[in-house]
């Protein structure tokens, strides 16, 4: 697994909090940062999954805050028509 820089980790946590699948996040990371990551590496940034049980408090808090805003509709997601 590639060592990820802070902006990439934040991107992954926020994408997962917005209910993107690990595969979608893999594709987004490749598109946005040009970095190859795998699904398991992405899943390790989701504290609701077993793989993310050891995620740092900082990223858990970010995940929970982002998920809350997403669920309340405060984060807009473009919808393809």
């Amino acid at each position: 697994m590639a060592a990820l820089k802070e902006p990439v980790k934040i991107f992954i946590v926020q994408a997962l909090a917005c209910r993107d699948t690990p595969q979608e996040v893999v594709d987004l990371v490749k598109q946005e940062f040009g970095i190859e990551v795998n699904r398991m590496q992405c899943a390790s940034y989701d504290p609701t999954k077993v793989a993310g049980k050891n995620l740092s408090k900082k990223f858990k808090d970010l995940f929970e805050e982002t998920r809350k805003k997403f669920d309340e509709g405060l984060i807009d997601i473009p919808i393809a028509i």
Side-chain angles (χ1 to χ4, degrees):
M1 282 192 275
L4 302 176
K5 294 185 179 182
E6 187 84 359
V8 180
K9 293 176 182 179
I10 291 170
F11 182 87
I12 292 171
V13 169
Q14 290 179 321
L16 292 169
C18 290
R19 303 193 188 278
D20 287 346
T21 66
Q23 183 59 54
E24 290 171 331
V25 177
V26 166
D27 296 338
L28 289 170
V29 169
K30 175 70 173 168
Q31 180 181 340
E32 292 290 322
F33 299 97
I35 299 171
E36 297 275 344
V37 294
N38 62 46
R39 289 186 307 236
M40 280 303 298
Q41 189 172 11
C42 286
S44 70
Y45 289 93
D46 185 343
T48 66
K49 306 289 184 218
V50 174
K53 68 180 180 179
N54 295 323
L55 190 62
S56 70
K57 179 173 178 4
K58 170 184 168 180
F59 289 123
K60 284 181 183 178
D61 291 346
L62 176 63
F63 182 94
E64 290 168 10
E65 178 184 329
T66 304
R67 172 71 54 96
K68 182 178 179 209
K69 287 180 181 177
F70 178 78
D71 287 346
E72 291 174 351
L74 298 177
I75 298 175
D76 293 328
I77 305 295
I79 300 173
I81 298 176

